[in-house]
Amino acid sequence: MVFIDNEGITDPHLNLALEEYALRHFDTETDYLLFYINEPSIIIGRNQNTLEEINQEYITEKGIHVVRRISGGGAVYHDLGNLNFSFITNHDNASMHNFKKFTAPVIEVLKNFGVEAELIGRNDILIDGKKVSGTAQFTTGKRMFSHGTLLLSTDLNEVANALQVKMSKISSKGHKSVRSRVANISDFLEEPLTIEAFRSLILEGLYANDKNFKTYEFTEADREGIAKLKAEKYDDWNWNYGRSPKFNIQRTKRFPIGEIDLRLFIEKGHIAEFTVFGDFFGKNAVEELSEFLIGLPYEETTIKNALKDIDLTEYFGAIDKNEFITMIYGNDDIETSPSN
């Protein structure tokens, strides 16, 4: 098994591009192992609705990356205290969904640290009943990877903050994450370890019986291909947000000018329908607002720009534009009451 050294890159967009590129373009007669550590980021599962998984206001404030991966499963939080591993092999039916095959070597290395880890359920590694690793798989039909996380010293408060979903009044068919009790591996170690030392020990343990240990040498074509994939896919809003399943949003709020009942239908990350009901009084027909918004990406800055020169008092009376925009795209707990 050839080791892929990602050269200390911590950009999750680039690391996920590297992983997919290696899967699709590296030698199909060779198995590979890739390690990477990401800056603070939320990695969304392939079939998830991004907005149902994240606290958008919080991650914008903290500059946390949001990137969709190509494997299924739930959303996970990465930071510099989390080591990610990926086994890239040929596809076979015995390996697909066989998480034990790929987690067993990792568990064995952890046991050498004196940590009693075990695979519980379908794809989680637990220590003392707490999850320290989750794994997922993806196959092209010919090649596959099994990848996972190892929480060494992750900021668990940030896990809760970044994944504390605020936009809860969304109805969609996206696969929602199930939150688990998590812990750091460092909590169970007798001596503290840096993430770099941990990475080295895991690598040494996995290759302890492999006399043919080699490190992959990137070609210029590899670097160009990885950069291209990053730019065209993993940096793209349409992949990270727009690929979310269709979903509806309904919000009702009482303003001094009356009640506004807002309905949106989002398809492929774009506003497909925008309807407003309520008992407010306005000069212009509120249906005109949909003309400014339909077809736009469902993204806060885009919505603000679309309404920047629109006088909302013509449609609703004396209403604060920022409050209205927050109603369209904002946290549910900001003075918003449940709809009937």
Side-chain angles (χ1 to χ4, degrees):
M1 181 174 287
V2 174
F3 178 63
I4 302 172
D5 186 347
N6 84 325
E7 302 175 342
I9 293 165
T10 58
D11 179 349
H13 306 265
L14 189 54
N15 281 327
L16 291 183
L18 165 58
E19 182 178 47
E20 182 178 351
Y21 185 89
L23 174 76
R24 298 186 187 277
H25 297 285
F26 283 12
D27 180 19
T28 58
E29 300 302 315
T30 304
D31 293 343
Y32 296 93
L33 171 65
L34 168 67
F35 281 171
Y36 54 92
I37 299 167
N38 284 328
E39 299 163 8
S41 51
I42 297 176
I43 310 300
I44 303 292
R46 180 184 184 91
N47 303 309
Q48 292 190 295
N49 180 354
T50 301
L51 291 175
E52 286 186 286
E53 299 300 324
I54 63 176
N55 180 342
Q56 181 68 61
E57 184 178 32
Y58 186 83
I59 66 170
T60 299
E61 176 188 341
K62 297 295 183 179
I64 298 171
H65 301 274
V66 176
V67 192
R68 187 184 300 278
R69 63 180 187 269
I70 59 174
S71 63
V76 291
Y77 176 79
H78 289 180
D79 66 11
L80 299 176
N82 174 58
L83 177 65
N84 303 285
F85 61 88
S86 182
F87 293 98
I88 302 171
T89 64
N90 281 330
H91 169 90
D92 65 78
N93 291 333
S95 296
M96 196 63 189
H97 305 300
N98 181 3
F99 293 95
K100 185 176 181 180
K101 174 181 177 180
F102 298 99
T103 56
V106 176
I107 289 173
E108 188 63 30
V109 175
L110 290 175
K111 287 185 176 180
N112 291 337
F113 294 168
V115 174
E116 287 303 315
E118 55 183 338
L119 181 68
I120 298 293
R122 182 180 60 167
N123 59 338
D124 294 336
I125 298 176
L126 274 65
I127 302 174
D128 195 24
K130 295 182 179 180
K131 181 176 175 178
V132 298
S133 173
T135 58
Q137 292 181 325
F138 175 78
T139 179
T140 66
K142 294 182 179 180
R143 296 283 280 175
M144 63 177 285
F145 64 59
S146 291
H147 60 183
T149 60
L150 287 170
L151 304 179
L152 175 69
S153 54
T154 290
D155 187 339
L156 298 182
N157 289 327
E158 287 294 85
V159 175
N161 291 334
L163 294 173
Q164 183 181 352
V165 181
K166 294 295 186 180
M167 207 174 286
S168 59
K169 295 178 180 62
I170 297 175
S171 174
S172 82
K173 295 182 180 179
H175 173 77
K176 298 179 179 64
S177 297
V178 177
R179 307 294 178 222
S180 305
R181 292 176 63 208
V182 295
N184 280 313
I185 294 169
S186 60
D187 296 339
F188 305 94
L189 297 176
E190 293 184 2
E191 298 291 335
L193 277 177
T194 65
I195 191 69
E196 293 80 11
F198 181 67
R199 174 186 179 279
S200 296
L201 289 170
I202 292 289
L203 185 61
E204 290 171 10
L206 291 175
Y207 280 99
N209 299 316
D210 190 348
K211 296 179 181 179
N212 298 316
F213 172 76
K214 294 180 180 178
T215 299
Y216 183 80
E217 297 290 337
F218 291 100
T219 66
E220 192 58 36
D222 290 335
R223 295 183 189 279
E224 291 175 0
I226 294 164
K228 185 173 185 288
L229 182 60
K230 172 184 180 289
E232 294 181 353
K233 183 172 186 175
Y234 290 101
D235 284 342
D236 185 20
W237 181 90
N238 286 301
W239 168 253
N240 296 320
Y241 283 84
R243 196 186 177 279
S244 297
K246 301 175 184 178
F247 60 95
N248 295 289
I249 295 175
Q250 177 181 357
R251 289 181 172 143
T252 302
K253 180 176 178 180
R254 171 65 61 179
F255 291 89
I257 49 85
E259 183 177 83
I260 294 178
D261 180 356
L262 184 64
R263 315 286 178 95
L264 295 96
F265 175 60
I266 312 299
E267 185 172 17
K268 295 182 179 179
H270 290 70
I271 301 172
E273 297 178 16
F274 181 88
T275 310
V276 183
F277 302 97
D279 58 4
F280 50 85
F281 297 96
K283 175 184 173 183
N284 295 348
V286 74
E287 290 79 10
E288 293 178 8
L289 286 177
S290 64
E291 298 176 10
F292 302 113
L293 297 172
I294 286 180
L296 296 179
Y298 184 62
E299 191 270 329
E300 186 175 19
T301 301
T302 302
I303 293 169
K304 285 182 177 179
N305 289 337
L307 297 178
K308 180 175 62 174
D309 298 323
I310 307 301
D311 183 1
L312 293 182
T313 63
E314 296 288 310
Y315 300 91
F316 301 105
I319 188 173
D320 182 274
K321 181 176 287 187
N322 288 330
E323 288 189 41
F324 184 69
I325 290 173
T326 296
M327 190 178 180
I328 299 173
Y329 191 104
N331 293 344
D332 288 333
D333 59 356
I334 301 178
E335 301 179 8
T336 306
S337 59
S339 54
N340 295 325

